[in-house]
Amino acid sequence: MRALPCFLYDTFAEHRFGGNVAGVVLLDAPVPDDAQLQALAAELAAPTTGFVERLAADRYRVRFFSPSAEMAMCGHVTIGVACALLDEGLIVGDRFTQETAAGPVALRLTDRRPHPRVEMTQRLPDFNELVPPTAVLAAALGVDASAFDPALRPGRASTGLRHLFVALRQEHDLAALQRDDAALFALCQAHGIDTIGVFALIDSRPGLCRVQLRDLCHGVGNPEESASGTTNGALASFLFHRGVLTAADGTATLQATQGRDMGRPANITTRLGIVEGAISHVAVGGSAVRTLAGTLYL
């Protein structure tokens, strides 16, 4: 019987019991049976769990499992895994690399106190304008189509996972969502969507946008998550692509509040590097706080 160290972290939170819960399991050797990893993720019951295999002092591999399925990438767990390795003294330097099914992720430690703060580089975005009809989206979200922001039509963007973004007119429209989970599961499956980011723009100025976001993750098996790294990287890219987020001094920053409607507030900052009017760099930063440490037996 193998004893595997495991942890829970609240990610993108400055204090415990905020942000999104990340499961972290440290592997002493690869686990060849995917069904065992899936069973451990279901047992741990975090929204997503990262199974970590160290490859070198500054490099490790992670596989991500929700309680029901594997996914190629998960931003909030990437932050949680990095903070767990830092807390355990398994990473010494300030720069390190995470290998994932979606490709390598470069990470940088930006602060150590009061908790490790890590910035992860995401791959450059791609965009897709093929979206479900507005009436279908409105029915699945349980909101009147008149609540959609007419100045910012729905669209898709990816910096790792596949996201559909829907802008609403007002922040209170977010709280009024009456989502149809069965319809959202079916919609995501039919259109190849991992998450639906529903957001309201709070304000916009040169170099900075602030939004409130809800991330409906039916495509990866979770109805909603309270903090999402990959979604925020893609959202910042989407807003820049649409001309809402603009650059100042070569950077453009998105500040997102998420998880408020779930009672787990999170603050996530995404920084875009802009060169000659195009996105050259996507980095999402945040901290993570340990809430549980224990042992899983395999």
Side-chain angles (χ1 to χ4, degrees):
M1 183 178 292
R2 292 169 61 180
L4 305 177
C6 67
F7 310 94
L8 293 181
Y9 275 80
D10 288 342
T11 60
F12 295 116
E14 301 297 333
H15 306 285
R16 288 177 177 82
F17 315 124
N20 200 356
V21 179
V24 179
V25 178
L26 304 184
L27 301 177
D28 53 1
V31 176
D33 188 347
D34 290 359
Q36 290 182 308
L37 296 181
Q38 185 64 74
L40 290 175
E43 183 72 16
L44 201 53
T48 309
T49 294
F51 293 90
V52 188
E53 179 191 354
R54 290 187 71 219
L55 305 175
D58 60 351
R59 191 164 61 93
Y60 55 92
R61 179 182 294 117
V62 182
R63 294 180 65 184
F64 303 95
F65 286 80
S66 77
S68 60
E70 184 176 7
M71 61 191 71
M73 175 62 183
C74 180
H76 85 274
V77 174
T78 291
I79 298 293
V81 165
C83 290
L85 293 173
L86 287 161
D87 286 343
E88 292 297 295
L90 299 175
I91 294 176
V92 179
D94 292 344
R95 295 180 182 272
F96 39 98
T97 301
Q98 174 179 284
E99 303 288 345
T100 77
V105 179
L107 296 109
R108 181 172 67 96
L109 176 66
T110 60
D111 197 3
R112 290 186 181 272
R113 298 182 178 179
H115 308 288
R117 184 174 181 85
V118 175
E119 185 177 78
M120 60 178 169
T121 299
Q122 298 184 347
R123 68 173 175 79
L124 295 180
D126 55 67
F127 304 98
N128 188 332
E129 298 298 330
L130 296 176
V131 302
T134 298
V136 173
L137 274 175
L141 293 172
V143 66
D144 193 278
S146 63
F148 284 24
D149 187 340
L152 192 55
R153 68 187 184 279
R156 295 172 63 166
S158 172
T159 56
L161 296 180
R162 303 163 298 177
H163 309 279
L164 168 64
F165 293 109
V166 179
L168 302 185
R169 292 175 181 267
Q170 303 290 337
E171 292 176 63
H172 64 75
D173 292 325
L174 289 171
L177 294 182
Q178 299 290 325
R179 66 176 196 246
D180 182 335
D181 287 332
L184 287 167
F185 276 116
L187 186 152
C188 288
Q189 184 174 32
H191 293 273
I193 295 165
D194 292 315
T195 88
I196 301 175
V198 189
F199 69 96
L201 184 66
I202 299 173
D203 64 48
S204 179
R205 65 191 77 168
L208 175 67
C209 273
R210 295 192 304 124
V211 302
Q212 184 179 342
L213 169 69
R214 293 183 67 174
D215 195 24
L216 311 181
C217 304
H218 296 74
V220 294
N222 296 325
E224 185 167 0
E225 294 201 1
S226 54
S228 313
T230 55
T231 304
N232 276 274
L235 177 56
S237 302
F238 170 78
L239 290 172
F240 181 82
H241 183 65
R242 289 292 174 83
V244 177
L245 175 59
T246 59
D249 299 324
T251 62
T253 300
L254 174 68
Q255 294 179 344
T257 300
Q258 195 178 335
R260 184 180 301 174
D261 297 281
M262 301 176 70
R264 298 187 63 90
N267 297 300
I268 305 167
T269 299
T270 302
R271 179 174 54 84
L272 303 180
I274 309 298
V275 176
E276 296 181 351
I279 298 172
S280 62
H281 184 79
V282 182
V284 180
S287 59
V289 185
R290 181 179 291 184
T291 58
L292 180 146
T295 305
L296 281 173
Y297 293 97
L298 181 61

